[in-house]
Structure formats: C-alpha cells, structure tokens
C-alpha cells in the first residue's frame, strides 16, 4: 500500500554505460506542430464517422447530449493533464505523472491501462477505413484496418517533423469533410434544437423508444473515447519546446478544437436526418449521399478514409513513445528495455513503433464491439487514476515547482474522481472483466518481478533538462 500512496523519498539511481543508455528524443516541436499531431490523434473525423455511428445506434437523438456531457467531464480531465503534464513532462505520459506523485505501483497500474488504450485504439479506428473506401474498392474491415496499421507503422519510422506536416495536411481534409457534413445537415434540418434534449431511438418499423439517463451513462465510456486523444499531447512532452508552458496549451487547445469539430457535425446530423430510424441506423455516408450527389458523397468518403489513415500514423507515433519511455524506465527484462529504447537515424524509437503497429494490425481481426468497450473502461480508469494523482500534485518538491496550475483544486479533481467511479459502475460487464483480468495479471508481474527489483526496475525518470 505504501507503494501506491507515497512515492519513494529518494529515487533509486540506475547506473548504465554510455552504450547502454537510451538516446534522448529531440525537442523539435512547437505548439502548432504539437497541436496538429495531437488533434490528428483525436482524429475528429474518424471519431465522428467511426465511433459516433455506434452511439447513434443506442442513443439516437441523445448522442449529441451524451458527447456534450462527456466533453464537460473531459474539461476537468484536461485541467488535471495540463497541470501534471507541465509538472512532470515525460514521454511516459500518465504513468510517469502518476508514478512520480502517487507511487510506483499506482504508476504501473496506469501504464497497463494506457498500454491497453495505445494498443487497441489505432486498430478500432483503422477498421473503419473499409466502409469509406467502398466507392472505389470493396475490402473487409479487418483487412483494410490491418493494411492501414502496417502503412502507419512504416510512416511512424520516419522523421517526426515531416510527419507533423503530413498529418497537418490530412487534418485539413478531415476538417473540410466534417464542415461539409455540418453544412448539409443544417441545410436539411427536419427537427428543432429541442430534439437534442429529448433522446429517442427508432427501429426499422418506425417504432420509437425514449433514451434515459441509464442508457446515456452506459455509453459514457465510448463518449469519453470520442475525444480521448487530446491527452496524448503529454506523450510528446520530451519533443515539445518549452514543455512546462506548451504541454498545457497543446492539451487545452486540442480538446477545445476537437469538441467543436465533433459536436457541430453530430448536432447537424441529428437535426438533418430524414427520420429517427435513419438516424438510429447511423449510416452517415447514406445520409450525406441523400443530402447531396454521389460525387460529393464519394469525396467525403475518401476524405474520411484519409483521416483514418492519418489517425493511424499519429497514434503509432505517439503511442510508441509510451513503450520507448517504459524501456528507459526499466519496466522489462534488460534486452527488452534496450530494444524499446533504440532510436533509428530519424530519431524514432523503431522497435517501440513496430511493437505498437504490428500487434495493432493483428487486433483488427478481433471483435470490434469488445475492443471498443475495453477501451472505454481503460480510458475511464486512466482518467480516474490521473484525477487521484492530481490530488497529490501540490506537496513536497512539486508544491512550488514551475507548472500550469488547474483552477478549483482540490475540489475539481476530487469531484472528477467521484464521477468517473460512478461511470465505471455503469459500463459493459464483459469489458470490465477483461480489463480487470489483464490488470490483475499485470499486478502479479509487479509483485513477483518489478517490486523485488525496485533499485533497478521501474525507475521512473524525467529528462535531465526537466527534473525538479
């Protein structure tokens, strides 16, 4: 229990030779590049066209309200991430922040949740590519997803600054697609704004059913998942210039922009759907085609496909930094640590990149609903642990450290933790069991391998230029 509630008084020192020590990541990103990469990881269009249809299936006209509530929760989460990310700017992200403030076992639990997220999310998004390539080629979702993951892995091995501009170009295309859908939806409005507050679904026969608070809370895991990528700005904190200022700005700008790019089209689709049954069906491509002509529908579909590919590239880039940092922090047997910490001539952690991309391609062949629900549970658990760590952020050496400070502390993180605990009790039971079993196995790894080797294993470090 001591490991969970209190960080070690003195961080253990690991002595390695110059040839064994992992190389450092370069600080080559400004706030614009960081925001472009992070916003691309949120990939608003992919969330809109891949994740939101599943919410339409269960929530109908209550989808926008549910995402709006999730976005409000995410504001509190973003405040916690901004403070902790500027206080502890590490490529390890959540686990480095929580492990430094709340103890190394807590950091390990966070690492496992973030590992689930970084391994599953790219596959979930990539599977959606097939539906939007249909105008030019017919391919199954798993095959298309695997191809996207492998292509993203190759791109992830290249120079980060080049990738920032590539993803920026793709991001423009996906924002255009979201904008066109918004204009078409509002131009063909069939119902008033009041319908957003009175959730209902309809089956194929047109029979309607109300959507209650229980259903909305049950879908909250996916709603949080929709904007989840904003927090990944902290994975780039070792490559951002002036991270103690720019990490917070990148997190907050990304959340704000992604909420606008996602919520506005969701509202437009809800108002513009020809009937409630069509809205509940969630086939956005068909609705766009009905509002316009086939050429515009094809253009939108291809923009969405490019957006998904873009998301895959960025997710592989950012998520590989988590494995890179875990190798540097000695989470594994030494050969694995050394491999994850190896950089190629483009200064990219190439083994870590392959370790994210190749298994991600394999996961494309798993059951999509289960992957999404597990991710929802892991995201909620991740946010909960970060909220708890935020309660420890103003003690000891960190009390007066230079960092962005969130408002309404400690009330806001305490309230956020309570909301997330209740939300988790409403999530899918099967996903909770899967996540619980994986977490239990990882805890045994901690007990029998990491904890007995505390002086040489799972030693959470910060870059030399950012140590308090």
């Amino acid at each position: 229990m001591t490991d969970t509630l209190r960080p070690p008084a003195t961080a253990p020192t690991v002595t390695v030779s110059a040839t064994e020590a992992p190389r450092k990541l370069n600080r080559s990103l400004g706030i614009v590049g960081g925001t472009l990469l992070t916003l691309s990881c949120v990939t608003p269009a992919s969330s809109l066209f891949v994740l939101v249809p599943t919410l339409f299936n269960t929530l109908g006209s209550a989808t926008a309200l549910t995402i709006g509530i999730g976005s409000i929760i995410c504001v509190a989460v973003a405040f916690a991430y901004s403070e902790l990310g500027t206080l502890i700017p590490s490529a390890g992200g959540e686990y480095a922040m929580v492990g430094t403030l709340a103890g190394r076992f807590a950091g390990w639990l966070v690492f496992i949740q973030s590992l689930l997220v970084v391994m599953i999310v790219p596959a979930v998004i990539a599977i959606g590519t097939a539906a939007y390539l249909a105008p030019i080629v017919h391919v199954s979702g798993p095959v298309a997803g695997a191809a996207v993951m492998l292509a993203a892995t190759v791109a992830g091995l290249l120079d980060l600054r080049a990738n920032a501009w590539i993803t920026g170009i793709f991001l423009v295309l996906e924002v255009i697609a979201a904008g066109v859908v918004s204009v078409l939806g509002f131009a063909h409005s069939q119902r008033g704004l009041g319908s957003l507050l009175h959730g209902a679904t309809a089956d194929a026969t047109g029979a309607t059913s109300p959507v209650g608070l229980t259903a909305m809370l049950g879908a909250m895991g996916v709603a949080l998942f929709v904007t989840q990528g904003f927090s990944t700005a902290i994975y780039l904190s070792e490559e951002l210039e002036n991270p103690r200022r720019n990490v917070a700005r990148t997190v907050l700008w990304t959340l704000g922009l992604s909420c606008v790019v996602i919520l506005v089209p969701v509202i437009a689709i809800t108002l513009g759907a020809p009937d409630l049954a069509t809205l509940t069906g969630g086939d956005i491509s068909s609705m766009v085609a009905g509002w316009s002509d086939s050429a515009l529908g094809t253009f939108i579909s291809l923009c969405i496909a490019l957006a998904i590919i873009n998301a895959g590239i960025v997710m592989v880039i950012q998520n590989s930094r988590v494995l890179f940092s875990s190798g540097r922090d000695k989470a594994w047997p030494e050969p694995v640590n050394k491999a994850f910490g190896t950089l190629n001539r483009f200064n990219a952690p190439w083994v870590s990149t392959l370790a994210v991309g190749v298994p991600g391609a394999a996961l494309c062949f798993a059951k999509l609903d289960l992957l999404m629900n597990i991710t929802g549970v892991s995201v909620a658990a991740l946010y909960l642990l970060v909220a708890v760590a935020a309660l420890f952020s103003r003690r000891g050496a960190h009390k007066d450290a230079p960092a962005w400070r969130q408002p309404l502390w400690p009330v806001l993180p305490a309230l956020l933790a309570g909301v997330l605990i209740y939300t988790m009790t409403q999530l899918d039971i099967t996903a909770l069991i899967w996540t619980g079993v994986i977490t239990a196995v990882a805890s045994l790894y901690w007990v029998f391998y990491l904890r007995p080797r505390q002086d040489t294993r799972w030693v959470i470090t910060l870059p030399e230029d950012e140590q308090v």
Side-chain angles (χ1 to χ4, degrees):
M1 183 61 75
T2 300
D3 290 318
T4 305
L5 298 178
R6 186 179 69 246
T10 303
T13 302
V14 180
T15 304
V16 293
S17 67
T19 57
E20 292 176 334
R23 291 161 56 193
K24 297 178 183 177
L25 298 169
N26 289 336
R27 295 201 182 280
S28 58
L29 286 175
I31 188 171
V32 174
T35 300
L36 285 176
L37 280 172
T38 309
L39 191 58
S40 296
C41 195
V42 177
T43 182
S46 295
S47 294
L48 174 63
F49 297 109
V50 177
L51 303 180
V52 169
T54 67
L55 292 176
F56 280 137
N57 296 156
T58 56
L59 300 175
S61 59
T63 298
L65 180 59
T66 304
I67 294 175
I69 294 171
S71 299
I72 292 172
I73 295 174
C74 283
V75 171
V77 174
F79 285 161
Y81 270 88
S82 295
E83 177 165 345
L84 302 190
T86 53
L87 191 64
I88 304 163
S90 167
E94 293 95 346
Y95 87 71
M97 300 186 311
V98 175
T100 301
L101 294 169
R104 289 192 284 173
F105 180 59
W108 177 250
L109 293 178
V110 167
F111 173 69
I112 296 306
Q113 304 311 312
S114 64
L115 192 61
L116 286 172
V117 172
V118 303
M119 298 302 293
I120 295 176
V121 171
V124 169
I125 296 298
I127 291 171
T129 311
Y132 298 100
L133 289 176
I136 58 174
V137 62
H138 292 280
V139 61
S140 70
V143 171
V148 168
M149 286 302 303
L150 294 176
T153 301
V154 173
L157 298 173
L158 303 178
D159 180 70
L160 184 64
R161 283 174 295 183
N163 273 313
W165 284 107
I166 292 171
T167 57
I169 293 170
F170 283 173
L171 181 61
V172 170
L173 289 176
E174 70 178 284
V175 171
I176 289 173
V180 171
V181 170
S182 299
V183 171
L184 290 173
F186 285 127
H188 293 80
S189 291
Q190 303 294 316
R191 55 195 61 83
L193 290 173
S195 62
L196 301 174
L197 303 176
H198 301 90
T201 59
D203 59 23
T205 65
T208 63
S209 303
V211 175
L213 182 60
T214 301
M216 294 171 64
L217 289 173
M220 193 56 66
V222 178
L224 293 174
F225 182 12
V226 166
T227 57
Q228 183 268 333
F230 72 88
S231 61
T232 59
I234 60 173
Y235 299 159
L236 297 174
S237 50
E238 291 184 35
E239 292 158 282
L240 281 169
E241 300 165 351
N242 194 1
R244 294 195 186 275
R245 181 186 66 180
N246 288 342
V247 168
R249 292 183 177 183
T250 302
V251 169
L252 295 172
W253 269 109
T254 303
L255 176 60
L257 291 171
S258 61
C259 286
V260 171
V261 175
I262 293 169
L263 265 176
V264 171
V266 169
I267 293 171
I269 292 167
T270 303
L271 300 182
D275 52 63
L276 194 55
T278 301
L279 179 67
T280 305
D283 189 346
I284 298 176
S285 292
S286 295
M287 282 187 267
V288 171
W291 293 331
S292 59
D293 54 39
S294 59
L296 183 58
T298 299
F299 171 75
I300 296 298
S301 293
L302 294 180
C303 284
I304 297 165
L306 286 175
I308 295 171
I309 295 170
N310 178 36
I313 294 172
V314 178
M315 289 179 185
V316 168
I317 290 171
Q318 292 190 327
N319 298 345
S320 67
R321 271 55 180 175
V322 178
L323 289 183
F324 167 85
S325 188
S326 74
R328 182 187 61 196
D329 292 343
K330 308 294 182 181
W332 317 104
E334 193 54 37
V336 180
N337 293 329
K338 187 174 181 180
F340 282 164
T342 303
L343 305 181
N344 64 13
R345 68 188 185 93
F346 297 109
N347 213 52
W350 70 274
V351 176
S352 296
T353 301
L354 293 175
V356 170
V358 176
L363 282 173
C364 291
F365 296 91
K367 188 177 178 181
L368 180 59
D369 287 345
L370 179 61
L371 292 178
M372 289 180 61
N373 287 330
I374 290 175
T375 304
V377 172
S378 295
V379 168
L382 198 58
Y383 288 170
L384 171 60
L385 289 164
V386 170
V388 171
L391 296 172
F392 295 90
S393 65
R394 303 189 190 184
R395 63 176 189 172
H398 299 289
K399 182 177 181 180
D400 299 315
W404 185 92
R405 299 295 183 177
Q406 64 177 307
L408 301 177
W409 182 95
V411 175
L412 193 58
L415 180 61
L416 174 62
V419 170
L420 289 169
I421 289 172
Y422 179 75
T423 298
M424 290 187 67
T425 65
Q426 305 299 308
L427 300 182
D428 181 72
I429 296 297
T430 303
L432 285 167
I433 292 173
W434 269 99
T435 308
V437 169
I438 293 169
T439 303
V441 171
S443 298
L444 292 176
Y445 177 80
W446 160 268
V447 170
F448 293 108
Y449 182 77
L450 293 178
R451 196 173 192 278
R453 299 169 176 81
Q454 290 191 63
D455 290 340
T456 59
R457 287 292 176 269
W458 197 233
V459 182
I460 299 173
T461 59
L462 290 177
E464 293 179 3
D465 59 339
E466 293 297 340
Q467 294 178 3
V468 176

